[in-house]
Amino acid sequence: MKRVMVMLGGMLLLSACTNNEKITISEQQAANAAYDLSYDLATKVIEAESYEEFRAARENLEAHRDAFRRDIGGENYLIFIEECNVILNEI
Amino acid sequence: MKKNTKNRLAAISAYTLLVIVVLLLSTRESGVTITSPEKDAARIEAMAATVRSEADLRDIELLATKYEIAYQHSLGGAVALHFKALVEPTLIAAGERRDEIRAEEEYLAQVEDTFDSSLDDLDKAWSMSLGSIEEINAEIEANNKQIAGIEADIEVKNNRKESLALEIVEAGYPEDMLTELGNIENSIVELEASVADINHQNDIIRLAYRLQKGEELPESHTPANVEESVEEGITVSIEPLVEVFYDIE
């Protein structure tokens, strides 16, 4: 149940972040978001099927990276970047 | 008798005033107001416990030095030494914490660099204009030939480095020979960096093919000496990173 809630939360957050509004990440959701968002966003980058798709995924990932750095920082920001690196290195 | 007492009182008052003025001047000079070594040391300790950044730590070290100077000027070297002994463990712990913070910051910078260069590599690969397989193969082969030439140069320089090291020992470490050795070593480092750059270019070409064509560069067109790196995929941006235990919050 908890996992489902976390996944739903991650998906809601992801869908909320696809528009051009400023991305904000709260401290309460930071730990889960660090893992969930890094996986979802970095996977989109490596699975892009065209340059345009890649550019959009990259911009989204970088915007979230900036939001993590600005709003959260510390250990959860580090986790986010580390997890992204692992996924980006899979390509 | 009364006049004598008056004079004595005046002298005592003047002396007390002088002491107060000297104390005030000395504390003003160091920019801090001292209370007692124990209280001031406790204050430094309390501040050290809330340190979040390297700048905070520098401020605390500076403050402790100011207190020490103030004690030395006001109450003498013995009290200053007593204060110093009280704050020393705190400052050592603060120094260790500063080193830890520095290591964490360096690690974070490395991780961020890896993140940025991975995305840049992907961008380069996606935006690279690819020719025919023959053209791609020719480009990789040309790069490999360049690498082979540089590696041969590195070997020559390594041999020269080894023989020169022996000559230096025999000659009693003359300055000019040590400089020559340093130049050779620097040159080797530069050449090795060039090899890494060219290998990186080859990796980007293969990645570009994989991303744009949706398949690996055909084996038959891949030179034998780079098969290993093809299997690994692009690893150019991921460097071995120092492990740091993060304990922020």
Side-chain angles (χ1 to χ4, degrees):
Chain A
M1 188 64 184
K2 195 180 171 187
R3 277 193 174 179
V4 174
M5 292 301 285
V6 168
M7 279 176 69
L8 278 172
M11 285 167 73
L12 275 171
L13 193 68
L14 196 61
S15 61
C17 296
T18 47
N19 55 23
N20 288 331
E21 286 172 20
K22 186 187 168 192
I23 298 160
T24 52
I25 297 160
S26 73
E27 283 191 41
Q28 286 81 6
Q29 63 191 172
N32 290 328
Y35 288 102
D36 296 343
L37 283 177
S38 59
Y39 179 80
D40 291 340
L41 300 174
T43 301
K44 279 193 173 154
V45 168
I46 62 168
E47 286 182 352
E49 289 183 353
S50 67
Y51 188 39
E52 290 68 35
E53 235 179 76
F54 164 76
R55 289 294 310 172
R58 177 183 182 165
E59 275 170 27
N60 198 21
L61 178 62
E62 286 179 325
H64 280 81
R65 187 267 306 266
D66 294 343
F68 252 99
R69 183 163 49 194
R70 184 188 61 235
D71 300 340
I72 309 297
E75 195 176 4
N76 286 320
Y77 168 59
L78 181 68
I79 289 169
F80 178 81
I81 298 285
E82 281 179 328
E83 292 300 308
C84 286
N85 285 347
V86 170
I87 293 160
L88 293 175
N89 193 37
E90 279 175 8
I91 197 162
Chain B
M1 196 63 176
K2 271 185 183 174
K3 199 180 176 184
N4 237 354
T5 312
K6 265 188 183 176
N7 282 345
R8 200 174 283 175
L9 276 172
I12 289 168
S13 304
Y15 181 74
T16 310
L17 200 64
L18 184 70
V19 168
I20 290 168
V21 168
V22 167
L23 277 173
L24 279 173
L25 281 176
S26 63
T27 53
R28 182 171 289 185
E29 188 189 337
S30 55
V32 291
T33 308
I34 53 173
T35 54
S36 74
E38 286 73 17
K39 275 186 187 171
D40 292 334
R43 190 177 164 219
I44 298 279
E45 202 177 338
M47 286 175 74
T50 62
V51 157
R52 302 292 305 162
S53 71
E54 197 170 333
D56 294 342
L57 285 161
R58 272 200 301 272
D59 289 346
I60 287 169
E61 283 172 344
L62 185 67
L63 187 64
T65 309
K66 282 180 177 177
Y67 272 114
E68 196 185 323
I69 291 167
Y71 275 114
Q72 195 165 359
H73 285 174
S74 317
L75 302 169
V79 184
L81 280 176
H82 176 54
F83 172 77
K84 194 178 175 183
L86 287 172
V87 295
E88 205 162 59
T90 306
L91 293 180
I92 288 170
E96 284 168 0
R97 179 75 188 131
R98 180 189 54 199
D99 292 345
E100 207 177 296
I101 288 169
R102 194 179 291 162
E104 284 168 0
E105 285 171 352
E106 280 172 7
Y107 174 68
L108 182 61
Q110 263 185 307
V111 173
E112 285 176 326
D113 274 355
T114 303
F115 177 90
D116 289 332
S117 36
S118 295
L119 290 174
D120 288 344
D121 286 347
L122 284 164
D123 210 312
K124 270 185 218 157
W126 268 116
S127 57
M128 182 179 278
S129 60
L130 290 173
S132 65
I133 291 181
E134 287 72 26
E135 284 167 338
I136 295 168
N137 191 36
E139 196 177 345
I140 290 177
E141 271 182 24
N143 283 344
N144 285 336
K145 273 184 189 164
Q146 211 183 335
I147 289 170
I150 298 170
E151 282 177 342
D153 200 7
I154 290 172
E155 199 179 337
V156 169
K157 284 184 189 292
N158 269 326
N159 290 339
R160 175 66 191 135
K161 186 182 133 186
E162 280 173 25
S163 62
L164 184 62
L166 293 172
E167 288 167 27
I168 287 171
V169 175
E170 284 170 12
Y173 302 94
E175 195 64 38
D176 57 335
M177 288 174 85
L178 286 169
T179 307
E180 191 188 341
L181 183 67
N183 291 339
I184 291 172
E185 283 172 341
N186 290 339
S187 166
I188 290 170
V189 170
E190 280 172 20
L191 290 171
E192 284 172 345
S194 304
V195 169
D197 277 350
I198 301 166
N199 270 324
H200 182 74
Q201 281 173 32
N202 280 349
D203 286 336
I204 297 286
I205 293 168
R206 289 189 202 96
L207 179 64
Y209 191 88
R210 182 152 24 107
L211 290 174
Q212 293 182 33
K213 307 287 180 187
E215 60 182 26
E216 296 289 339
L217 192 64
E219 283 287 323
S220 57
H221 296 276
T222 305
N225 61 337
V226 291
E227 272 181 7
E228 195 183 331
S229 58
V230 171
E231 283 170 16
E232 286 172 358
I234 184 157
T235 57
V236 284
S237 302
I238 306 299
E239 292 165 4
L241 301 170
V242 182
E243 278 193 17
V244 173
F245 295 100
Y246 243 71
D247 61 355
I248 291 177
E249 289 184 319

